[in-house]
């Protein structure tokens, strides 16, 4: 048993409610494991800051239905309580069809399931889909700031739309007054739906955001004070007598991770305020395959770590710290030199931008970057967002030609030049709309792409990367 926190739409306060629950549980010295539906990186950072445990993403597009179930079983059994934060509205997902993998052996959805899904054909990878996969009850968060009696229609609709979803209760968010609360309770009473929490309008609890969502935890100096305020709120706003039994995590039979083998190679992983978008499962896989991860900062360090045979630049916000990255010329030069000498390097999204000649920020200012790729990253207002089906156009650092991978794009930059030999031809995941070619694989030891990949169901990707890193180690090239 565990709970899923879902919203009736985006922006209703799912993350605030989730963090409030987590903060209050941790104040009670409870061991709690959190999960996040979808491809998001930033919400899991907040979860981990509160719980002290890495949050795990549950995304059947990036991985598979079976992987979602295995991941939840593996990590929920290691804690007393488990909590899943949903994505967007409860039934907001993507369209599934056999032509695009859903229902095939990759996803494990059979004919009967596809027929049942006909009542909501676009809820694959939605919070509701995860609730069905894991057989978990849902707590529905409703933004009550601009409604009173209509709350019953909303709750009734979500309660009855899919009979396979068990709505355990609701959390009423942004309640304005005692009178407002009375109207809401009176309206909900005929539904016999438990009110598991009431959050009043809060002026002193605000998580700042910017062009790609919330500001990451590493940049928030007052974060601990904010978490304390959330814990205070959580102590009083929830019906803990009803919630705690629902949150209780029951051990499930699942083999533990094997112990890490002796380190075969050292991988420099850029992790600081500019680069911090990593799926924990990807890092775990590297370690399980024999990699020692050496975390470092392109912002603060004077050079790349010594005695490494590979580099990994995740996504993040290099555009926000472009000036500081540009001024750290010793690191830029060291990165370029290492790559040109053959250092295998993965660079996703923000990492791709860092390998360009320049980043041109929102104000039009140009900042020199590593200069490995003969193109520049230009910030703009247009958001590129969505799941991608990507087919490799050639053998590259991570995959062989014609291999299909599934990833996610989320950025407001574009490149001034496209590679003459791009990595992928990409399409939208849920339809045949071609999104063009993208990614850089020259030099051949580089995999630089806007497409974020989760390796949970693609163990051959980290294996191939480490294979190339081992070639560096065996050649005696300790850069």
């Amino acid at each position: 048993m565990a709970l899923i926190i879902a919203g009736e739409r985006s922006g209703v306060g799912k993350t605030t409610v989730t963090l409030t629950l987590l903060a209050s549980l941790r104040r009670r010295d409870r061991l709690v494991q959190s999960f996040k539906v979808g491809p998001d990186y930033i919400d899991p950072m907040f979860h981990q800051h509160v719980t002290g445990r890495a949050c795990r993403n549950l995304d059947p597009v990036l991985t598979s239905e079976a992987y979602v179930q295995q991941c939840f079983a593996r990590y929920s059994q290691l804690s007393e309580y488990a909590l899943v934060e949903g994505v967007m509205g409860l039934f907001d997902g993507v369209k599934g069809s056999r032509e695009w993998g859903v229902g095939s052996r990759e996803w494990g959805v059979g004919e009967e399931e596809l027929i049942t899904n006909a009542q909501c054909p676009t809820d694959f990878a939605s919070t509701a889909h995860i609730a069905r996969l894991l057989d978990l009850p849902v707590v529905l968060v409703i933004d009550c700031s601009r409604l009173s009696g209509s709350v019953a229609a909303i709750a009734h609709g979500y309660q009855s739309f899919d009979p396979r979803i068990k709505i355990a209760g609701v959390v009423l968010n942004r309640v304005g007054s005692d009178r407002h609360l009375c109207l809401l309770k009176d309206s909900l009473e005929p539904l016999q739906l438990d009110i598991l929490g009431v959050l009043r309008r809060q002026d002193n609890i605000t998580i700042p955001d910017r062009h790609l969502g919330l500001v990451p935890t590493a940049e928030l100096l007052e974060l601990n004070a904010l978490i304390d305020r959330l814990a205070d709120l959580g102590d009083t706003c929830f019906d803990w007598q009803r919630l705690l039994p629902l949150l209780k995590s029951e051990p499930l039979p699942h083999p533990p991770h094997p112990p890490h083998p002796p380190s075969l190679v050292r991988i420099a992983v850029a992790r600081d305020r500019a680069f911090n978008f990593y799926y924990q499962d990807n890092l775990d896989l590297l370690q399980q395959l024999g990699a020692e991860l050496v975390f470092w900062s392109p912002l603060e360090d004077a050079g790349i770590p010594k005695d490494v045979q590979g580099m990994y630049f995740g996504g993040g916000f290099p555009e926000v710290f472009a000036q500081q990255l540009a001024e750290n010329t010793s690191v830029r030069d060291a990165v370029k030199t290492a790559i040109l000498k053959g250092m295998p390097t993965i660079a996703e999204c923000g990492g791709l931008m860092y390998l360009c000649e320049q980043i041109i920020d929102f104000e039009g200012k140009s900042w020199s970057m590593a200069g490995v790729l003969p193109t520049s990253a230009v910030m703009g207002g247009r958001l590129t967002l969505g799941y991608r089906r990507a087919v490799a156009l050639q053998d590259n650092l991570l995959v062989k030609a014609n291999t299909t991978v599934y990833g996610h794009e989320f950025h407001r930059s574009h490149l001034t030049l496209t590679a003459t030999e791009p990595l992928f031809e990409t399409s939208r995941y849920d339809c045949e709309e071609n999104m063009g070619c993208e990614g850089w694989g020259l030099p051949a030891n580089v995999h630089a792409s806007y497409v974020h990949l989760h390796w949970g169901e693609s163990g051959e990707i980290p294996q191939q990367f480490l294979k190339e890193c081992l070639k560096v180690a065996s050649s005696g090239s300790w850069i």
Side-chain angles (χ1 to χ4, degrees):
M1 183 65 71
L3 271 182
I4 294 183
I5 305 300
E8 27 99 3
R9 53 191 162 87
S10 293
V12 300
K14 290 188 305 295
T15 300
T16 299
V17 170
T18 300
L19 293 177
T20 301
L21 283 165
L22 294 175
S24 192
L25 285 168
R26 287 299 297 141
R27 175 175 283 181
R28 298 161 185 240
D29 291 326
R30 307 288 187 173
L31 191 62
V32 56
Q33 175 65 54
S34 70
F35 301 86
K36 171 64 182 178
V37 179
D40 183 44
Y41 290 100
I42 299 178
D43 287 352
M45 294 181 196
F46 282 86
H47 291 205
Q48 181 169 351
H49 185 87
V50 175
T51 66
R53 303 169 67 88
C55 175
R56 304 287 169 167
N57 290 77
L58 304 176
D59 192 318
V61 173
L62 299 184
T63 58
S64 70
E65 291 184 312
Y67 186 86
V68 166
Q69 293 170 324
Q70 292 161 8
C71 179
F72 180 80
R74 183 184 300 277
Y75 293 104
S76 63
Q77 70 174 334
L78 301 177
S79 61
E80 300 174 81
Y81 299 94
L83 187 65
V84 181
E85 179 183 350
V87 62
M88 301 176 66
L90 177 57
F91 297 101
D92 296 329
V94 295
K95 182 180 179 181
S97 68
R98 288 190 180 275
E99 289 79 10
W100 291 92
V102 183
S104 69
R105 63 182 180 84
E106 293 122 303
W107 307 123
V109 183
E111 187 71 36
E112 180 180 351
E113 178 72 5
L114 286 171
I115 293 172
T116 308
N117 277 351
Q119 66 184 50
C120 188
T122 59
D123 85 339
F124 190 85
S126 67
T127 306
H129 183 196
I130 301 303
R132 295 194 302 268
L133 280 178
L134 303 180
D135 192 24
L136 296 181
V138 170
V139 172
L140 185 67
V141 180
I142 302 177
D143 179 358
C144 302
S145 59
R146 292 177 177 83
L147 55 82
S148 57
S150 298
V151 70
I154 294 171
H156 175 67
Y158 280 84
Q159 188 179 29
S160 60
F161 182 73
D162 185 344
R164 297 168 295 174
I165 303 298
K166 174 178 171 52
I167 305 293
V170 296
V171 169
L172 306 180
N173 193 23
R174 299 169 186 151
V175 176
S177 64
D178 290 342
R179 171 62 177 161
H180 187 197
L181 180 58
C182 285
L183 292 172
L184 296 169
K185 286 183 173 179
D186 290 345
S187 299
L188 289 169
E189 186 175 4
L191 300 182
Q192 297 182 326
L193 193 60
D194 287 339
I195 298 174
L196 298 175
V198 176
L199 279 69
R200 304 296 182 116
R201 292 175 186 167
Q202 303 291 325
D203 296 327
N204 66 334
I205 298 180
T206 302
I207 304 175
D209 59 8
R210 59 174 172 235
H211 55 278
L212 291 182
L214 298 179
V215 175
T217 54
E219 298 180 49
L220 300 179
L221 299 179
E222 302 297 326
L223 181 57
N224 288 333
L226 171 64
I227 298 304
D228 284 340
R229 291 196 295 272
L230 288 173
D232 292 339
L233 177 64
D235 290 345
T236 58
C237 72
F238 294 120
D239 185 342
W240 287 104
Q241 188 173 353
R242 287 191 173 97
L243 275 173
L244 280 178
L246 295 173
L247 288 161
K248 189 70 175 176
S249 179
E250 296 295 334
L252 298 172
H254 197 282
H257 280 306
H260 293 167
S263 295
L264 304 174
V265 294
R266 284 162 51 89
I267 307 298
V269 180
R271 188 163 69 179
D272 56 18
R273 290 168 296 154
F275 305 100
N276 44 38
F277 290 4
Y278 296 96
Y279 294 122
Q280 183 64 40
D281 290 11
N282 288 7
L283 301 178
D284 290 347
L285 279 168
L286 289 173
Q287 291 178 309
Q288 291 160 20
L289 292 169
E292 177 187 351
L293 304 184
V294 184
F295 296 103
W296 70 291
S297 172
L299 284 172
E300 306 289 348
D301 291 343
I304 62 176
K306 295 180 179 180
D307 298 337
V308 296
Q309 297 85 45
M311 293 190 294
Y312 186 5
F313 294 89
F317 291 99
E319 67 274 18
V320 175
F321 303 97
Q323 180 175 354
Q324 189 175 347
L325 289 169
E327 291 173 348
N328 196 345
T329 56
S330 62
V331 162
R332 291 195 288 112
D333 292 343
V335 167
K336 183 174 183 178
T337 298
I339 291 176
L340 294 181
K341 284 185 176 180
M343 176 86 74
T345 301
I346 299 172
E348 284 189 343
C349 201
L352 159 69
M353 295 165 65
Y354 182 63
L355 297 192
C356 292
E357 291 179 342
Q358 296 175 320
I359 288 178
I360 302 173
D361 65 21
F362 287 108
E363 287 72 42
K365 296 179 181 178
S366 298
W367 306 99
S368 295
M369 293 292 120
V372 176
L373 308 178
T375 185
S376 296
V378 183
M379 302 306 302
R382 182 175 177 271
L383 176 63
T384 300
L385 169 67
Y387 289 112
R388 299 288 181 261
R389 177 178 182 266
V391 179
L393 296 174
Q394 57 187 313
D395 291 352
N396 59 68
L397 178 65
L398 299 186
V399 295
K400 298 296 184 183
N402 299 315
T403 301
T404 298
V405 295
Y406 295 90
H408 188 263
E409 281 193 78
F410 189 34
H411 54 92
R412 290 191 184 273
S413 67
H414 68 275
L415 302 184
T416 54
L417 292 176
T418 302
T420 55
E421 297 182 31
L423 292 179
F424 296 119
E425 182 176 10
T426 63
S427 306
R428 291 194 184 277
Y429 165 76
D430 54 357
C431 69
E432 296 186 16
E433 181 181 351
N434 189 290
M435 300 300 291
C437 297
E438 78 90 50
W440 290 74
L442 292 175
N445 52 300
V446 169
H447 179 103
S449 170
Y450 271 123
V451 179
H452 293 280
L453 300 177
H454 189 299
W455 305 335
E457 281 280 282
S458 305
E460 66 275 7
I461 290 179
Q463 289 174 7
Q464 177 63 25
F465 176 54
L466 294 185
K467 179 181 177 182
E468 296 301 315
C469 295
L470 279 169
K471 291 180 181 178
V472 175
S474 62
S475 69
S477 300
W478 296 85
I479 301 173

